[in-house]
Amino acid sequence: MDTYKKLGLLPARAICYSGFRDGQQPGGKYPNYNEVKEDLMLLHNDWKYLRLFDCDLHAEIVLDVIRNENLDFQVMLGAYIEAETNNFNCPWGGGIHPKNILEQNRADNSKKMLRLAEFANRYPDIIFSLSVGNEACVDWTDHLVPTEKVIHYVKEVKKLTKQPVTFCENYAPWLSKLEPLAKELDFISIHTYPVWEYKSINEALDYTQENYRAVAQKYPDKPVVITEAGWATKSNGKGILPENVNEEFQKIYFEKLMEWVEKEQILTFFFEAFDETWKGSPEILEPEKHWGLFKIDRSPKLAMKASALE
């Protein structure tokens, strides 16, 4: 289970980082250099590994801050691929796209692979691994990409780069439809969210462990990394029971998860560093907005207060 050893990494804590603040969002206004620097200065004493979701302007600024400020971070860089086919099973109806949009997405996704490789080669001292997508194959996704196309992207990126290549996805598809993809990857990256599956805080760690072990046992010769595991602190009741989320429960899950993965030496990216108000629906209690260990104003939640990281 020692994923650090298998990947040639030093054991340390890992976290998902996306620095969009109020009024900012991908494709719109991006965090500037000083805002990213402020974020990374908050994180650098306690975290070694960062996961970035896209090879965009935000990622470029993050990588420049790490290099210019001589910060001791290593980065998993992703390329966020958009829908290439319609998903009529998307529960919120977001998986249906016009033909011209799907065609444009295919072209844009191919360009993103080139950009991912360009970043990897420009920052080889900082970027330790690459992901060719995020939650693009699971049954409920609104940006569905066929498995065979993801395999194509993996092969293309491998030709152009030296870093290990992965794909970040919910744990469930790895147990069936993603077997052909798993064969092409250097390591497998899974997401596990007990609270999205109506688990209470008392059931949470056991469920996370079940998710991880199911995939790890299926692929005993592949390192398995947890690239997302976290606990929301607010909910409007859509998808997550409000009584299952608060800062106290997040603190409990965070501490129990860290204790387990550090004992077992499983590289695990906690989701996520900061709340992001641009995500999900406009509703204030939309759970997508409330996964951060820090609030949108960068003040710490309960898990980050006192001796939580000691």
Side-chain angles (χ1 to χ4, degrees), residues 33 59-69 122-123:
Y33 186 98
E60 187 169 23
I61 293 172
V62 172
L63 293 164
D64 282 341
V65 169
I66 292 171
R67 175 172 286 176
N68 296 344
E69 307 300 330
R122 197 196 317 172
Y123 303 92

Side-chain angles (χ1 to χ4, degrees), residues 41-113:
M41 294 305 291
L42 278 174
L43 300 175
H44 85 283
N45 285 330
D46 301 309
W47 312 91
K48 166 75 171 180
Y49 301 106
L50 300 179
R51 178 181 170 220
L52 304 180
F53 293 85
D54 205 0
C55 44
D56 57 2
L57 175 62
H58 180 44
E60 187 169 23
I61 293 172
V62 172
L63 293 164
D64 282 341
V65 169
I66 292 171
R67 175 172 286 176
N68 296 344
E69 307 300 330
N70 197 29
L71 297 177
D72 186 22
F73 287 114
Q74 290 284 290
V75 170
M76 172 188 283
L77 182 62
Y80 191 90
I81 51 177
E82 301 287 356
E84 296 193 13
T85 189
N86 284 321
N87 182 13
F88 298 96
N89 295 319
C90 180
W92 57 89
I96 313 302
H97 311 274
K99 183 179 179 181
N100 65 309
I101 296 298
L102 295 176
E103 291 175 351
Q104 184 62 54
N105 287 348
R106 294 183 192 109
D108 290 345
N109 289 344
S110 293
K111 291 177 183 176
K112 278 198 174 184
M113 295 306 120

Side-chain angles (χ1 to χ4, degrees), residues 28-238:
K29 184 179 180 181
Y30 285 80
N32 62 36
Y33 186 98
N34 287 333
E35 288 170 331
V36 169
K37 180 180 176 181
E38 179 186 7
D39 288 350
L40 298 190
M41 294 305 291
L42 278 174
L43 300 175
H44 85 283
N45 285 330
D46 301 309
W47 312 91
K48 166 75 171 180
Y49 301 106
L50 300 179
R51 178 181 170 220
L52 304 180
F53 293 85
D54 205 0
C55 44
D56 57 2
L57 175 62
H58 180 44
E60 187 169 23
I61 293 172
V62 172
L63 293 164
D64 282 341
V65 169
I66 292 171
R67 175 172 286 176
N68 296 344
E69 307 300 330
N70 197 29
L71 297 177
D72 186 22
F73 287 114
Q74 290 284 290
V75 170
M76 172 188 283
L77 182 62
Y80 191 90
I81 51 177
E82 301 287 356
E84 296 193 13
T85 189
N86 284 321
N87 182 13
F88 298 96
N89 295 319
C90 180
W92 57 89
I96 313 302
H97 311 274
K99 183 179 179 181
N100 65 309
I101 296 298
L102 295 176
E103 291 175 351
Q104 184 62 54
N105 287 348
R106 294 183 192 109
D108 290 345
N109 289 344
S110 293
K111 291 177 183 176
K112 278 198 174 184
M113 295 306 120
L114 297 177
R115 194 178 311 131
L116 181 64
E118 192 275 320
F119 275 47
N121 294 324
R122 197 196 317 172
Y123 303 92
D125 53 328
I126 299 172
I127 297 171
F128 77 92
S129 63
L130 305 166
S131 172
V132 300
N134 182 70
E135 295 182 348
C137 292
V138 69
D139 290 346
W140 42 256
T141 187
D142 62 2
H143 52 284
L144 183 63
V145 178
T147 303
E148 59 270 21
K149 193 60 177 294
V150 179
I151 291 173
H152 169 74
Y153 290 144
V154 170
K155 291 179 177 179
E156 288 300 302
V157 171
K158 278 190 170 186
K159 290 177 185 177
L160 300 171
T161 62
K162 296 180 179 179
Q163 291 91 336
V165 178
T166 190
F167 174 72
C168 300
E169 185 56 275
N170 178 271
Y171 71 92
W174 293 112
L175 301 176
S176 53
K177 68 179 284 189
L178 294 187
E179 285 185 42
L181 172 60
K183 294 177 182 178
E184 302 295 335
L185 298 174
D186 294 304
F187 64 97
I188 294 167
S189 296
I190 71 167
H191 298 172
T192 168
Y193 285 109
V195 72
W196 272 123
E197 299 191 50
Y198 301 99
K199 303 300 180 183
S200 70
I201 190 62
N202 294 324
E203 303 169 297
L205 184 62
D206 285 345
Y207 194 69
T208 293
Q209 292 172 339
E210 289 172 14
N211 295 167
Y212 174 81
R213 287 169 180 155
V215 178
Q217 290 168 8
K218 184 174 179 62
Y219 303 100
D221 298 325
K222 291 275 183 179
V224 178
V225 169
I226 299 175
T227 41
E228 290 185 28
W231 203 268
T233 52
K234 293 182 181 179
S235 176
N236 56 5
K238 297 178 182 178

Side-chain angles (χ1 to χ4, degrees), residues 1 83 128 207 229 243 250 278:
M1 287 189 181
F128 77 92
Y207 194 69
E243 59 267 30
Q250 184 190 59
W278 68 272

